[in-house]
Amino acid sequence: MKTKITSFLTAAVLSVLALANSSFAEAESGFYDKDHIRGFVSFGTDFRIMHDDFQSYVNHLAFVKGGHTVSTDEGDVFYSGGKMKYKTFDDYYLGLHAIFGAQYKQFQTWIDVNFMPTQISERPSNTYTAEAYDANGDVLHMKFPLYDVKWYSYGADWMFGWKLFGENTFINLIPAVGFGFNLINIHFASNFEVTDLNGGETYNFRNRYYSAMATTVNSELEGRLEFDHLALGVYVGYRFVRYNELSVEGKELVNTEYIGDDTDNNGDTFFLGLRLTWIFHSDWQTKQENKL
């Protein structure tokens, strides 16, 4: 997974840098004049509305409930999970963004690094009670630990945009599209035991996050007011995300008796946000200022 992420970021950053130097064309060739390239950085925040299937996906996975096996002198005893009164997750969250890009004439390209605050469903108590039956059919009770159920995601998109009303106009519209990756990270309620239906292997959740990766396609439209170096934008868009199956202790959770094969790995969001951008002067602009 780390190799995929590193490869993507390397390719994306090199491509942005290629626009900012003469590696693929010389200024004399007429393809572009590198002195007119302007770098920019942006910081933004948006309100993300989850697709219904995305909310269902998160709540379906995050609140998976298994059981517990306890070894005794008489043999292993399996305790089935009891009731746990967690609050399910809402269908919206806050998105945060850091953007690094370059502009040539009306064309823009940038890397959008996105992340979000961790969403937490607090544990109702420190422990919960599970049940088992002994050889005589009597009910046995035992307490097991509970944890906060949490999830968050982060990723990056390589975006391409076009300033519709010109390079340096005060008011502009900038449609953009791009692609990238995303990771969702989930922390479960307890150290449940699950069994892989394919191989019959049993394993336990640990007190940690488990992750699934996704490819993304992102589209947006920004309305911008530009004041030389500083720009203020409002943007809307849609991000298409399809997650891989969540892997727990090296096994896909979808293959256990508690999940089955009915998960739709949809991570789509609608979004509306604000963005503040600082646009650096090009070398040509700097030279003109120095002549004054």
Side-chain angles (χ1 to χ4, degrees), residues 213-262:
M213 189 176 180
T215 54
T216 64
V217 177
N218 193 40
S219 60
E220 67 174 52
L221 176 65
E222 178 184 356
R224 176 182 290 187
L225 299 179
E226 195 166 309
F227 309 89
D228 191 22
H229 283 293
L230 191 65
L232 179 64
V234 177
Y235 63 96
V236 296
Y238 189 86
R239 194 163 187 244
F240 177 90
V241 182
R242 289 296 179 272
Y243 287 107
N244 297 332
E245 295 298 344
L246 188 71
S247 179
V248 176
E249 302 303 315
K251 301 292 184 179
E252 290 184 353
L253 192 59
V254 70
N255 292 322
T256 68
E257 67 271 37
Y258 299 104
I259 292 294
D261 58 359
D262 60 347

Side-chain angles (χ1 to χ4, degrees), residues 40-42 99 103 108 110 163 165 167 169-174 220-235 275-279:
F40 62 87
V41 294
S42 300
I99 291 173
Q103 171 184 314
Q108 293 185 322
W110 64 88
K163 302 176 80 170
F165 299 157
E167 180 181 1
T169 57
F170 174 64
I171 299 176
N172 226 316
L173 283 179
I174 309 172
E220 67 174 52
L221 176 65
E222 178 184 356
R224 176 182 290 187
L225 299 179
E226 195 166 309
F227 309 89
D228 191 22
H229 283 293
L230 191 65
L232 179 64
V234 177
Y235 63 96
R275 179 178 295 153
L276 187 65
T277 302
W278 182 263
I279 308 169

